[in-house]
Amino acid sequence: QFPRQCATIESLRSGKCCPDYFPVFGPGTDQCGVSTGRGRCVQVTVDSRPHGPQYIHDGRDDREQWPVRFFNQTCRCNGNFSGYNCGSCRPGWTGPTCSQQINIVRRNLLDLSTEERRRFVNALHQAKVTIHPDIVIATRRREEIFGPDGNTPQFENISIYNYFVWSHYYSVRKTFLGAGQQSFERVDFSHEGPAFVTWHRYHLLQLERDMQNMLQDPTFGLPYWNFATGQNTCDICSDDLMGARSNFDVSLISQNSIFSQWRVLCESIEDYDSLGTICNSTEGGPIRRNPAGNVARPMVQRLPQPEDVALCLEVGIFDTPPFYSNSTDSFRNTVEGYSDPSGKYDPAVRSLHNLAHLFLNGTGGQTHLSPNDPIFVLLHTFTDAVFDEWLRRYSADISTYPLENAPIGHNREYNMVPFWPPVTNNEMFVTAPENLGYSYDIEWPGRALRVTEMITIAIVTALILVAIVFAAAACIVRAKKNRDELHQPLLTDQYQHYSDDYDGISTPSQSVV
Ligand SMILES: O=C1C=c2cc(C(=O)O)[nH]c2=CC1=O
């Protein structure tokens, strides 16, 4: 969440997080790369518009008006420069001066060659075990951030992949209201609201960027899992991809997969909620996964159908009041999976993204834990592909993305929690190939026809056929008539000559000639 250079008592006290680009000149001399025109240190802009009625504890949560509880000054970068010290490039740009355009292609995981699959799995594992070079996480709430002695900032190193896990946890954690009090749970900065698609888009972009840097390969792209193929099995759960099922425990991953060795972060939610602590980088048990195995909930033993994606893409309004998990006719609530695929809200329904999570039935189906299962990455790249197709089809129509009264964290101009430097939901509401430097190699299913549409098409087809038959019959009659008319005079003539000249000896032809 914050650059390592800012995790100090001085930085927190000053509220300033504007690290140097060239620290060699001495601390504070090249904040945000100002000496080379990369950027400058400015006041953070926050969203102060009202939020929706779900959150009732204003003043009690560090994530309100993110990120000002921690810092109120940040780098603002010029042109295509970006990052916490303006030392990197905006998505879609690369090179020393960020002037080279790039396009990263996100492909279907099942289309990767054996060697590409091996490289992707290895890259994920490398991210799991490599300390994030720039970012550290807060392990205490703001009021305890200086530590028990008031002089020990409570931040920790974390691996690149675990940072991805932790960011998701931090965005969904409950609001701590004090020891002995129930934490407040109707708060979620990344789900059940319009920011669902924008937040998860940035979350993936950040992992992709971190992995590109780790691999020193600016062309590395995250693949996707098409979870709506019409099958109800986990087709990516094989040992060369996300890991097959263990032969010894149905809810574990096979030992032939490196993911059986991964350990899970942020498991102790009861502790966090009762003690007011925050998940840290300590790992716990293994990833649990039992696809289609939730016998108590048959509805989540299946995956979405291709038809569901096609229907969802026909919902043309981005979001509808109350901009929450009970919104109806909302594309966002449909792709998130609280509405049926045609957009109608139904509290009993789980579809698309939610259904894919619940189908996994284990670590990947619990919101505070789900990114621990690497399938999360692939499930969300596919969800993002659907969002990008919606943006393309409806010309990124942002008019129904609320500026205010969305659930806290979800207003259009809100800085997404817990990312640094600050980035608003608005900034992710753009078509990816043109604005963010990546695209999906994907073909979208056509929608099957509804009964009424089939009846209409049958009637129209029948009418056209009848019209064609009538037209053909008319043509034949006319052609025959024309032919008859063409031949008629000759015959009449001939007949006349024949009858005039016939002497009973000469032939009719002779008489005509
Ligand atoms: O990790 C997640 C798990 C989820 C479960 C549901 C549900 O609909 O019950 N939704 C989820 C979203 C997640 O991100």
Side-chain angles (χ1 to χ4, degrees):
Q1 69 180 340
F2 299 122
R4 187 168 287 105
Q5 292 92 321
C6 300
T8 62
I9 301 283
E10 303 73 55
S11 209
L12 284 163
R13 290 228 165 98
S14 68
K16 188 195 249 194
C17 179
C18 293
D20 292 323
Y21 174 62
F22 276 130
V24 283
F25 300 148
T29 52
D30 189 33
Q31 291 175 7
C32 313
V34 68
S35 66
T36 44
R38 286 179 166 256
R40 66 203 164 90
C41 190
V42 299
Q43 214 51 33
V44 166
T45 311
V46 292
D47 174 54
S48 9
R49 292 191 166 93
H51 57 71
Q54 303 82 7
Y55 182 67
I56 51 172
H57 293 292
D58 289 277
R60 310 290 292 274
D61 196 308
D62 292 343
R63 298 167 295 181
E64 292 170 22
Q65 302 207 312
W66 184 259
V68 292
R69 295 285 161 87
F70 293 91
F71 297 105
N72 57 20
Q73 288 182 71
T74 181
C75 288
R76 177 171 305 148
C77 309
N78 298 323
N80 292 332
F81 295 117
S82 179
Y84 71 92
N85 64 352
C86 301
S88 56
C89 305
R90 273 183 25 207
W93 297 91
T94 191
T97 55
C98 300
S99 50
Q100 251 174 279
Q101 229 169 343
I102 43 164
N103 179 43
I104 287 145
V105 181
R106 294 184 177 173
R107 295 164 61 202
N108 188 328
L109 182 65
L110 293 176
D111 288 344
L112 302 191
S113 67
T114 308
E115 176 57 17
E116 286 168 334
R117 290 174 181 209
R118 194 190 60 76
R119 268 193 270 140
F120 175 60
V121 168
N122 286 350
L124 280 177
H125 187 63
Q126 195 181 335
K128 179 77 176 172
V129 297
T130 304
I131 296 291
H132 199 295
D134 310 320
I135 297 290
V136 291
I137 54 160
T139 56
R140 286 287 182 276
R141 287 171 298 112
R142 179 63 178 83
E143 64 178 88
E144 297 178 349
I145 201 75
F146 292 126
D149 61 357
N151 215 14
T152 315
Q154 302 291 295
F155 292 93
E156 266 184 14
N157 276 319
I158 190 157
S159 79
I160 290 169
Y161 194 88
N162 283 349
Y163 175 53
F164 181 72
V165 176
W166 184 92
S167 323
H168 193 259
Y169 150 81
Y170 192 85
S171 75
V172 304
R173 63 184 279 262
K174 296 178 189 170
T175 302
F176 181 67
L177 296 175
Q181 297 222 58
Q182 279 260 302
S183 291
F184 180 73
E185 53 182 292
R186 272 189 100 192
V187 59
D188 187 328
F189 287 76
S190 56
H191 303 84
E192 301 186 58
F196 165 71
V197 280
T198 46
W199 191 97
H200 285 87
R201 166 167 279 200
Y202 189 77
H203 190 219
L204 291 168
L205 260 180
Q206 181 198 251
L207 176 70
E208 191 169 63
R209 171 64 57 92
D210 289 343
M211 290 181 71
Q212 287 164 357
N213 292 338
M214 175 191 80
L215 297 167
Q216 300 197 324
D217 175 7
T219 68
F220 169 81
L222 296 170
Y224 64 85
W225 172 38
N226 182 348
F227 55 68
T229 60
Q231 303 176 49
N232 288 320
T233 54
C234 178
D235 54 2
I236 55 168
C237 294
S238 51
D239 282 333
D240 61 337
L241 295 173
M242 295 298 105
R245 199 189 286 278
S246 158
N247 288 328
F248 306 104
D249 182 335
V250 285
S251 71
L252 285 181
I253 298 174
S254 142
Q255 288 186 346
N256 298 327
S257 162
I258 189 72
F259 300 120
S260 65
Q261 293 172 27
W262 279 29
R263 291 295 172 264
V264 165
L265 212 67
C266 307
E267 273 181 329
S268 313
I269 36 168
E270 290 81 14
D271 286 357
Y272 315 140
D273 293 345
S274 59
L275 304 172
T277 52
I278 292 182
C279 161
N280 59 28
S281 57
T282 310
E283 296 182 336
I287 297 170
R288 299 242 161 227
R289 188 197 292 159
N290 182 5
N294 190 344
V295 285
R297 245 179 123 179
M299 200 192 82
V300 301
Q301 288 186 295
R302 59 174 201 89
L303 280 168
Q305 300 290 303
E307 169 80 355
D308 298 346
V309 174
L311 281 171
C312 161
L313 282 168
E314 295 212 341
V315 181
I317 298 177
F318 176 68
D319 214 341
T320 56
F323 308 107
Y324 193 43
S325 45
N326 57 353
S327 290
T328 200
D329 299 322
S330 144
F331 164 74
R332 188 273 314 159
N333 210 33
T334 308
V335 72
E336 187 169 1
Y338 290 106
S339 292
D340 81 17
S342 69
K344 294 284 162 276
Y345 170 65
D346 176 348
V349 159
R350 286 293 182 274
S351 68
L352 292 159
H353 151 268
N354 280 342
L355 181 55
H357 269 292
L358 296 173
F359 172 85
L360 295 176
N361 188 29
T363 306
Q366 302 168 66
T367 314
H368 64 286
L369 288 179
S370 50
N372 280 293
D373 186 331
I375 291 183
F376 178 102
V377 175
L378 307 152
L379 184 165
H380 272 280
T381 38
F382 184 69
T383 308
D384 183 64
V386 178
F387 174 42
D388 205 56
E389 177 63 10
W390 186 93
L391 288 168
R392 193 189 65 76
R393 284 194 195 179
Y394 301 96
S395 311
D397 179 5
I398 200 168
S399 59
T400 59
Y401 193 123
L403 275 162
E404 56 187 31
N405 296 324
I408 189 163
H410 291 256
N411 283 351
R412 202 194 289 183
E413 300 289 350
Y414 207 94
N415 294 317
M416 293 180 274
V417 176
F419 303 126
W420 187 271
V423 50
T424 62
N425 290 306
N426 193 36
E427 293 174 67
M428 290 295 110
F429 202 95
V430 287
T431 48
E434 295 79 12
N435 302 285
L436 300 172
Y438 69 87
S439 56
Y440 288 97
D441 177 15
I442 197 160
E443 269 180 34
W444 295 104
R447 181 172 64 76
L449 298 174
R450 294 188 190 105
V451 176
T452 47
E453 290 167 335
M454 282 196 273
I455 292 170
T456 312
I457 288 174
I459 292 171
V460 170
T461 312
L463 288 174
I464 290 172
L465 279 175
V466 169
I468 290 172
V469 168
F470 270 103
C475 278
I476 291 167
V477 168
R478 171 165 292 198
K480 192 164 181 296
K481 197 167 162 223
N482 284 348
R483 205 177 53 230
D484 288 353
E485 281 171 4
L486 263 178
H487 291 167
Q488 195 75 17
L490 290 176
L491 280 174
T492 311
D493 221 20
Q494 173 192 14
Y495 182 74
Q496 279 172 348
H497 284 282
Y498 182 70
S499 49
D500 290 349
D501 300 345
Y502 187 56
D503 55 7
I505 300 165
S506 54
T507 62
S509 55
Q510 282 169 329
S511 65
V512 170
V513 170

